[in-house]
């Protein structure tokens, strides 16, 4: 006989697991939230919030260095690495504390501190020796940093983003591996905080961007600020007496450099490999993740559901929360399993300038064979961006040829985190480019750049006149 019997067991108390618990507990009191690690979401503990704290300090230093064009002179900032990291840790702990308090205020009988693995679809074995019989199970085990084997040569000098927010002080130098979201954000932030940084990527990519023109613009911007080797080949990686050594080739040049530490930010892997999924009826994909319906969270025809980073799809907090709701609703209402529509795609990178992707990515449109056109605005001459001295980057927007429907956008440029929301709302509302142009645009604001790009796109679609000539006040497109 099992030690515990419940209607629904949720494995993992991160963002997806917490959201699933809130939904399930509205329907049944026979629920168990299982967590073997520390409470506190990836976002609060090692992701979104501590990284933004580090970036905020880096931006403050950068703005102080670059105020001369406005006639404001600060001189070189003095960066106190210990003070920077003290604020990062303290504010991080504050955010984590909110999450921990929320969970610990839930019924004690609903929570178990242990790791779980499957003995069958409806039976779990806990690391404390007990067993749990559950009519339905939700997998919300999150993810962890993925470390390719070659980097293990760095030994105890190898760090991940899960490690650096516990630093007492900033290092003198760091090699950052991975030109994706995490590597780009951390590499630029450390550089601006006075750390000698080299950022190493692969394939010439920049963050999650897929549009070749936007990638090229972003690559040029970041390479002009700090050493960013977007397509490096490594000849030797190793540990030295005082740090690490990296021998590499970039842009045809062979170099060997030494650094204090290696920060490996080459992606994350779903935490499903320790769940003994071989004891279930589930079909697994090449990454070992249960094959599931993204619209319902259901794994095949089983009574097991999956949500959040464990799905290995989009590791974003708002996506994890949405998936947690879907998995929780369906587990609670089983066998009434429903497919919920997804929100419009929305992704932001908090580099400077920021990156964003909305709706359908350029690569997705090409892969699907969609007939589309693109419109663009170069932020170099956009009025408000130039006033603020942030006039760098490129926005490209995409529209469907037959219907004029707005499909998506990719961008490197100013205030991308805000512009992305406007465009995501337009995409989710199924607006056409013409309908978007009917909406008001205040003057002078950065958002006028969206209007310029949309006017260009409407013309490319054959659904509007040529964009008006640029004016000195408004930038391209007026």
């Amino acid at each position: 006989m099992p030690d515990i019997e419940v209607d629904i067991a949720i494995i993992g108390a991160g963002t997806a697991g917490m959201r699933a618990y809130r939904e399930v507990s509205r329907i049944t009191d026979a629920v168990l939230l299982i967590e073997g690690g520390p409470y506190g979401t990836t976002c609060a503990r090692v992701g979104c919030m501590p990284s933004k704290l580090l970036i905020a300090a880096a931006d403050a230093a950068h703005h102080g260095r670059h105020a001369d064009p406005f006639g404001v002179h600060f001189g070189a900032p003095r960066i106190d690495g210990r003070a920077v990291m003290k604020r990062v840790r303290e504010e991080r702990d504050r955010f984590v504390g909110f999450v921990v308090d929320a969970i610990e205020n839930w019924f004690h009988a609903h929570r178990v501190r242990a790791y779980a693995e499957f003995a069958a679809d409806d039976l779990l074995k806990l690391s404390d020796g007990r067993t749990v019989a559950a009519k339905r199970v939700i997998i919300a085990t999150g993810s962890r940093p993925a470390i390719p084997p070659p980097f293990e040569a760095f030994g105890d000098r190898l760090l991940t983003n899960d490690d650096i927010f516990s630093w007492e002080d900033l290092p003198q130098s760091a090699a950052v591996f991975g030109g994706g979201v995490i590597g780009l954000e951390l590499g630029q932030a450390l550089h601006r905080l006075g750390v000698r940084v080299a950022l190493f990527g692969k394939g010439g990519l920049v963050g999650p961007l897929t549009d070749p023109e936007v990638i090229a613009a972003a690559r040029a911007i970041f390479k002009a600020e700090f050493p960013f080797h977007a397509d490096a080949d490594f000849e030797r990686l190793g540990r030295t007496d005082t740090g690490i050594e990296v021998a590499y080739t970039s842009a045809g040049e062979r170099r060997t450099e030494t650094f204090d530490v290696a920060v490996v930010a080459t992606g994350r892997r779903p935490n499903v490999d320790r769940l003994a999924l071989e004891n279930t009826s589930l079909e697994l994909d090449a990454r070992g993740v249960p094959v599931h319906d993204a619209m319902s969270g259901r794994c095949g025809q089983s009574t097991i559901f999956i949500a959040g980073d464990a799905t290995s799809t989009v590791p974003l907090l708002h996506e994890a929360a949405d998936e947690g709701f879907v998995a929780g609703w369906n587990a609670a209402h089983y066998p009434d399993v429903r497919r919920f529509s997804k929100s419009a795609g929305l992704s932001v990178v908090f580099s400077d300038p920021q990156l964003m992707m909305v709706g359908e990515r350029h690569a997705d449109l090409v892969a699907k064979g969609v007939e589309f056109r693109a419109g663009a605005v170069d932020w170099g001459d956009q009025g408000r961006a130039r006033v603020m001295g942030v006039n760098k980057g490129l926005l490209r927007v995409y529209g469907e040829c037959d219907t004029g429907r707005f499909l998506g956008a990719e961008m490197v440029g100013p205030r991308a985190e805000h512009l992305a929301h406007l465009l995501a709302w337009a995409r989710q509302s199924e607006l056409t480019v013409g309908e978007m142009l009917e909406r008001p645009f205040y003057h002078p604001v950065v958002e006028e750049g969206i209007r310029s790009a949309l006017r260009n796109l409407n013309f490319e679609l054959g659904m509007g006149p040529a964009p008006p000539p640029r004016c000195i006040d408004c930038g391209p497109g007026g």
Side-chain angles (χ1 to χ4, degrees):
M1 293 293 294
D3 299 291
I4 304 171
E5 294 187 58
V6 294
D7 289 338
I8 300 167
I10 303 169
I11 310 174
T15 297
M18 292 176 67
R19 186 65 183 86
Y21 171 82
R22 291 189 181 100
E23 189 60 28
V24 167
S25 61
R26 293 175 59 247
I27 306 301
T28 177
D29 194 49
V31 57
L32 191 65
L33 183 64
I34 305 167
E35 177 59 73
Y39 288 146
T41 62
T42 296
C43 171
R45 190 176 293 279
V46 296
C48 320
M49 303 314 293
S51 66
K52 303 312 167 286
L53 285 162
L54 193 71
I55 290 169
D59 286 347
H62 181 75
H63 295 154
R65 291 190 189 99
H66 293 83
D68 288 1
F70 301 97
V72 180
H73 308 286
F74 292 107
R78 184 182 67 85
I79 297 170
D80 183 341
R82 287 190 170 275
V84 168
M85 295 312 302
K86 181 174 183 290
R87 180 174 186 265
V88 169
R89 294 194 311 275
E90 289 179 349
E91 288 296 308
R92 182 271 313 271
D93 292 346
R94 179 172 172 270
F95 289 122
V96 171
F98 293 149
V99 178
V100 173
D101 289 346
I103 296 176
E104 291 186 342
N105 281 328
W106 293 342
F107 291 122
H108 181 75
H110 288 180
R111 296 182 280 117
V112 166
R113 299 306 301 272
Y115 292 99
E117 62 178 38
F118 284 91
D121 283 12
D122 57 357
L123 185 64
L124 302 174
K125 294 192 298 183
L126 302 183
S127 56
D128 63 13
R130 293 182 291 174
T131 56
V132 178
K135 296 175 183 176
R136 273 89 64 198
V137 178
I138 298 173
I139 299 172
T141 45
S143 63
R144 64 184 186 274
I147 303 175
F151 295 117
E152 294 174 0
F154 294 134
D156 61 354
R157 293 281 174 154
L158 186 156
L159 303 170
T160 70
N161 62 294
D162 284 13
D163 303 315
I164 69 172
F165 302 119
S166 296
W167 280 347
E168 295 287 334
D169 199 353
L170 295 169
Q172 293 296 310
S173 60
V176 181
F177 297 91
V181 176
I182 298 171
L184 184 60
E185 288 185 349
L186 295 181
Q188 184 182 45
L190 291 174
H191 163 75
R192 291 184 169 186
L193 288 168
V195 178
R196 179 174 62 84
V197 166
L199 175 60
F200 298 97
K202 275 292 185 185
L205 300 178
V206 182
L209 297 172
T210 71
D211 187 312
E213 292 189 33
V214 182
I215 290 172
R219 192 164 53 230
I221 290 170
F222 294 118
K223 286 180 67 174
E225 180 181 341
F226 64 97
F228 177 22
H229 307 285
D231 190 17
D233 290 319
F234 303 112
E235 298 177 13
R236 187 173 65 260
L237 305 171
R239 175 79 159 85
T240 69
D241 291 341
T242 57
I244 67 163
E245 183 178 78
V246 182
Y248 65 96
T249 300
S250 178
E253 181 182 359
R254 299 178 64 184
R255 298 186 62 183
T256 299
E257 293 188 75
T258 58
F259 303 88
D260 290 337
V261 295
V263 178
V264 178
T266 50
R268 300 181 69 84
R269 61 178 297 180
N271 290 327
V272 295
D273 52 321
R274 300 165 186 170
L275 294 175
L277 293 172
E278 65 274 11
N279 296 325
T280 69
S281 64
L282 304 183
E283 177 187 358
L284 307 182
D285 65 16
R287 299 193 68 185
V289 176
V291 175
H292 61 282
D293 177 12
M295 310 295 278
S296 69
R298 188 180 184 186
C299 300
Q301 296 300 307
S302 73
T303 54
I304 299 172
F305 300 81
I306 190 168
D309 289 6
T311 65
S312 78
T313 51
V314 185
L316 299 172
L317 182 141
H318 70 277
E319 293 279 358
D322 288 351
E323 291 174 3
F325 161 77
V326 170
W329 195 97
N330 280 324
H333 291 84
Y334 184 87
D336 180 12
V337 175
R338 300 184 182 181
R339 305 180 80 237
F340 291 79
S341 61
K342 287 274 191 179
S343 298
L346 174 60
S347 179
V348 176
V349 180
F350 292 85
S351 53
D352 181 21
Q354 295 177 338
L355 314 180
M356 68 85 160
M357 299 189 305
V358 163
E360 298 284 339
R361 304 181 308 165
H362 185 275
D364 296 332
L365 294 171
V366 172
K368 293 176 182 177
V370 176
E371 288 292 325
F372 73 99
R373 296 291 182 270
V377 64
D378 186 322
W379 292 102
D381 273 337
Q382 201 276 330
R384 181 64 187 280
R386 192 170 184 86
V387 165
M388 296 185 294
V390 293
N391 51 319
K392 292 187 295 186
L394 178 68
L395 166 65
R396 295 248 294 168
V397 291
Y398 317 120
E400 192 171 43
C401 286
D402 292 340
T403 65
R405 187 167 55 105
F406 172 65
L407 297 175
E410 296 194 30
M411 170 180 160
V412 54
R415 309 295 191 265
E417 62 181 294
H418 305 299
L419 304 186
H421 283 82
L422 296 180
L423 292 174
W425 296 345
R427 177 67 187 91
Q428 189 152 326
S429 298
E430 296 284 345
L431 296 182
T432 66
V433 176
E435 288 170 334
M436 293 169 71
L437 285 167
E438 293 172 357
R439 270 54 179 176
F441 290 86
Y442 200 76
H443 174 72
V445 293
V446 170
E447 283 76 3
E448 286 178 299
I450 292 179
R451 181 177 62 185
S452 297
L454 291 173
R455 282 174 169 169
N456 180 234
L457 173 56
N458 220 30
F459 175 72
E460 293 295 329
L461 290 168
M463 298 181 180
R470 73 177 190 175
C471 67
I472 191 169
D473 293 324
C474 308

